[in-house]
């Protein structure tokens, strides 16, 4: 709280209300409107919550105008280049970078939770072979509340931490199992000698018939992408996790709801949609046609991987993935024509008045799919990859909320339906 207030006068009632201004450690000042309805009888209307803060959080800071993203104060550029996903996981959960021994212990803990109950594999085998992996992921993660019911007390910090570790550890195992189910391959169990990203590649691609060699370039690129996706303050899926968590629901239910929210093409599903869009465009000569469609308000087509609710200058994650895309393709000796197409699309869009005026820039998803593709990850697995990274943010934000006093999330509405009317018996209706 600051000493600042904003005064609101209601000309109708002539009442005046001093609204306190809340300041965080960084970011725009925020008006506390909690007394607005009790004192003046008004609600506020903010579709999509574009100007509404629902919580205080110490975890992630974004400055959309300057293209800044920081986890616990550390700039994303430094973390992507110099840290590791396990270190970032520790940082997001506990607030500080780990010492060497803390990291070793934490890694061991996560590693020892990577296996899933064998019944989880039977559950996955019940899905149709071509079920989207996000459908499998959300269903299976929700089901885990039934596997760990002894440790579901959300008011118990030890239970919360255990659930957080289980979710982080098991998410890649379930995601890889969903892919193997589609491929018809037998289960690949986690290997404790591997790090998080290597283990995922092993569970995705190893087959019993031959030895699987992990490509260190692929493991490094994957680790970096997981860091970039780890948290992003109150995005739609994280807000969903917090909203579900605010009811006291168990963490598996909360994260399953987060997965469902992430699946949408306006959110995490955009990485899959970008690749489909690039295939649909097919050739540089057709870029103009699709730009035109993206600008046409009567056409539902949008340029996927473009635009962001918060970033109105550039998405710092996109700057990193764009560079990484070139590096990874070069390191792997690949030349993907989709990258040329993406660059051409980006160039034309960034010169176009429509995109300039609306401050629409490439977001993290614009280039990440091309990297995943280079690593051999199929398109339907792109959003599960996002989910694996974002699980850390979901559980960190859920733990933060659960550890402090909070109210159930319960927005209001502007009712626009009928006024009161009397019930009419069915035989008397026209
Ligand atoms: N292509 C064409 N027009 C767009 C696009 C786009 N990708 N994004 C926004 N616009 C237009 C929109 O039609 C509107 O125009 P007007 O003012 O004339 O009505 C204006 O730009 C503002 O858009 P908005 O929908 O009000 O913005 P928003 O903040 O509600 O939506 C968004 C943000 C990311 C959902 C949106 O930009 C979008 O749909 N982008 C494509 C999907 C995408 O790439 N999503 C991934 C987001 S980053 C990863 C993540 O964190 O989830």
């Amino acid at each position: 709280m600051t000493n600042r207030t904003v005064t609101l006068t209601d000309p109708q009632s002539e009442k005046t209300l001093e609204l306190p201004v809340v300041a965080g450690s960084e970011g725009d000042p925020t008006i506390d409107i909690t007394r607005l309805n009790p004192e003046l009888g008004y609600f506020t209307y903010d579709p999509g919550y574009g100007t509404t803060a629902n919580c205080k959080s110490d975890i992630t800071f974004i400055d959309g105008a300057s293209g800044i993203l920081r986890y616990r104060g550390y700039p994303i550029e430094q973390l992507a280049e110099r840290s590791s996903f396990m270190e970032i996981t520790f940082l997001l959960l506990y607030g500080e970078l780990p010492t060497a021994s803390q990291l070793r212990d934490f890694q061991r803990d996560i590693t020892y939770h990577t296996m899933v109950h064998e019944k989880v594999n039977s559950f996955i085998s019940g899905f149709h072979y071509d079920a989207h992996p996000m459908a499998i992921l959300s269903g299976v993660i929700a089901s885990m509340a039934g596997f760990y019911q002894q440790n579901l007390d959300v008011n118990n910090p030890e239970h919360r931490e255990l659930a957080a570790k289980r979710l982080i550890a098991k998410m890649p195992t379930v995601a890889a199992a969903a892919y193997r189910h589609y491929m018809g391959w037998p289960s690949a169990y986690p290997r404790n000698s591997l790090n998080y990203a290597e283990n995922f590649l092993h569970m995705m691609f190893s087959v019993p018939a031959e030895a699987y060699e992990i490509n260190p370039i692929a493991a490094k690129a994957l680790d970096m992408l997981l860091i970039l996706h780890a948290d992003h303050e109150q995005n739609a899926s994280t807000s969903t996790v917090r909203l579900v968590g605010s009811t006291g629901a168990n963490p598996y239910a909360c994260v399953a709801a987060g997965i469902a929210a992430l699946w949408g093409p306006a959110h995490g599903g955009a990485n899959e949609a970008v690749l489909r869009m690039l295939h649909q465009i097919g050739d540089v000569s057709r870029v103009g046609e699709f730009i035109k469609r993206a600008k046409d308000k009567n056409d539902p087509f949008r340029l996927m991987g473009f635009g962001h609710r918060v970033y109105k200058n550039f998405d710092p994650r996109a700057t990193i993935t764009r560079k990484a895309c070139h590096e990874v393709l070069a390191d792997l000796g690949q030349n993907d024509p989709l990258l040329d197409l993406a660059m051409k699309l980006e160039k034309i869009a960034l010169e176009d008045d429509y995109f300039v005026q609306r401050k629409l820039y490439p977001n993290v998803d614009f280039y990440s799919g091309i990297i995943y593709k280079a690593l051999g990850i199929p398109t339907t697995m792109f959003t599960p990859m996002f989910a694996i990274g974002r699980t850390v943010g979901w559980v960190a934000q859920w733990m933060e909320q659960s550890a402090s006093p909070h109210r159930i999330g319960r927005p209001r509405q502007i009712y626009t339906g009928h006024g009161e009317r009397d019930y009419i018996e069915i035989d008397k209706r026209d």
Side-chain angles (χ1 to χ4, degrees):
M1 223 42 105
T2 62
N3 291 329
R4 275 174 66 189
T5 54
V6 168
T7 309
L8 194 72
T9 308
D10 177 8
Q12 216 167 350
S13 63
E14 292 178 353
K15 275 191 191 165
T16 290
L17 182 61
E18 299 276 317
L19 295 168
V21 173
V22 186
S25 48
E26 299 200 62
D28 292 340
T30 302
I31 300 169
D32 178 348
I33 54 157
T34 46
R35 300 295 310 151
L36 185 63
N37 184 262
E39 303 278 345
L40 295 187
Y42 289 103
F43 288 117
T44 53
Y45 180 53
D46 184 19
Y49 311 117
T51 51
T52 298
N54 175 47
C55 63
K56 293 181 183 173
S57 177
D58 293 351
I59 303 175
T60 291
F61 173 68
I62 302 177
D63 178 337
S66 312
I68 290 172
L69 167 61
R70 297 188 203 122
Y71 296 160
R72 302 282 190 185
Y74 296 101
I76 192 66
E77 293 81 2
Q78 291 179 25
L79 299 177
E81 173 136 7
R82 291 158 55 191
S83 185
S84 70
F85 182 62
M86 267 302 98
E87 197 173 56
I88 294 311
T89 301
F90 187 98
L91 173 71
L92 288 170
L93 288 183
Y94 302 112
E96 297 297 334
L97 286 168
T99 62
S101 73
Q102 283 173 328
L103 182 60
R104 227 179 6 256
D105 291 350
F106 181 68
Q107 256 165 339
R108 196 193 48 233
D109 267 11
I110 297 293
T111 303
Y112 279 85
H113 283 297
T114 48
M115 270 177 64
V116 292
H117 194 289
E118 203 53 30
K119 287 268 188 274
V120 168
N121 287 325
S122 345
F123 184 15
I124 292 175
S125 64
F127 279 86
H128 200 265
Y129 84 99
D130 62 354
H132 195 286
M134 287 298 277
I136 298 181
L137 208 54
S138 53
V140 169
I141 294 300
S143 82
M144 283 190 178
F147 288 93
Y148 302 111
Q149 18 195 18
Q150 282 75 25
N151 311 101
L152 286 186
D153 179 1
V154 296
N155 298 314
N156 179 331
E158 282 171 24
H159 285 203
R160 292 201 296 261
E161 191 173 357
L162 182 58
K165 287 180 179 167
R166 279 182 169 143
L167 279 158
I168 292 162
K170 293 180 201 305
M171 195 65 74
T173 313
V174 177
Y179 170 63
R180 299 181 77 86
H181 176 59
Y182 169 75
M183 296 299 284
W185 294 349
S187 309
Y189 293 97
R191 276 184 30 201
N192 287 355
S193 57
L194 301 175
N195 73 28
Y196 196 85
E198 291 169 343
N199 196 26
F200 176 73
L201 291 171
H202 153 74
M203 290 188 290
M204 274 287 284
F205 297 120
S206 67
V207 288
E210 57 189 34
Y212 174 68
E213 289 224 358
I214 289 154
N215 183 334
I217 298 167
K220 189 166 176 291
L222 183 56
D223 197 77
M224 189 271 295
L225 286 173
L226 292 172
I227 293 174
L228 293 186
H229 284 114
D231 195 41
H232 212 228
E233 57 110 295
Q234 307 311 317
N235 58 85
S237 57
T238 303
S239 301
T240 302
V241 170
R242 277 193 182 254
L243 185 65
V244 179
S246 76
T247 69
N250 72 74
Y252 302 97
C254 297
V255 170
I259 296 170
L262 187 75
W263 194 359
H267 191 9
N271 55 12
E272 181 177 333
V274 168
L275 218 80
R276 295 198 190 288
M277 174 189 75
L278 292 175
H279 278 297
Q280 196 188 357
I281 298 174
D283 188 79
V284 169
S285 63
R286 297 184 65 204
V287 166
E289 176 193 328
F290 280 84
I291 296 268
K292 201 167 154 212
R293 282 189 60 192
K295 298 192 289 185
D296 181 355
K297 293 288 168 215
N298 298 317
D299 188 329
F301 177 79
R302 276 192 168 197
L303 216 51
M304 300 314 287
F306 255 77
H308 197 275
R309 169 61 62 80
V310 184
Y311 295 121
K312 299 298 173 198
N313 188 339
F314 65 95
D315 178 341
R317 303 166 303 170
T319 312
I320 299 169
T321 48
R322 187 183 202 274
K323 184 164 166 273
C325 203
H326 288 276
E327 288 168 359
V328 171
L329 259 67
D331 287 352
L332 295 173
Q334 293 185 17
N335 180 16
D336 190 339
L338 286 188
L339 179 56
D340 299 331
L341 185 56
M343 282 170 51
K344 180 78 177 170
L345 187 61
E346 179 188 351
K347 186 170 181 302
I348 295 183
L350 291 183
E351 286 166 357
D352 191 295
D353 262 3
Y354 174 95
F355 292 89
V356 174
Q357 276 168 15
R358 289 169 179 76
K359 299 186 193 313
L360 300 170
Y361 296 87
N363 58 50
V364 66
D365 287 327
F366 193 66
Y367 285 103
S368 64
I370 300 176
I371 305 181
Y372 288 135
K373 181 169 173 269
L375 306 185
I377 293 169
T379 314
T380 54
M381 283 297 291
F382 290 1
T383 314
M385 301 306 300
F386 193 154
I388 294 171
R390 186 54 55 85
T391 299
V392 176
W394 291 331
V395 298
Q397 302 259 355
W398 173 79
M399 294 231 293
E400 181 180 65
Q401 175 176 271
S402 307
S404 50
H406 59 272
R407 302 176 76 196
I408 186 170
R410 205 320 187 168
R412 300 305 302 264
Q413 64 171 9
I414 298 174
Y415 175 68
T416 54
H418 279 284
E420 183 179 344
R421 47 187 178 158
D422 287 328
Y423 179 81
I424 302 167
E425 300 306 328
I426 195 160
D427 55 346
K428 299 203 176 75
R429 288 176 217 158
D430 295 335

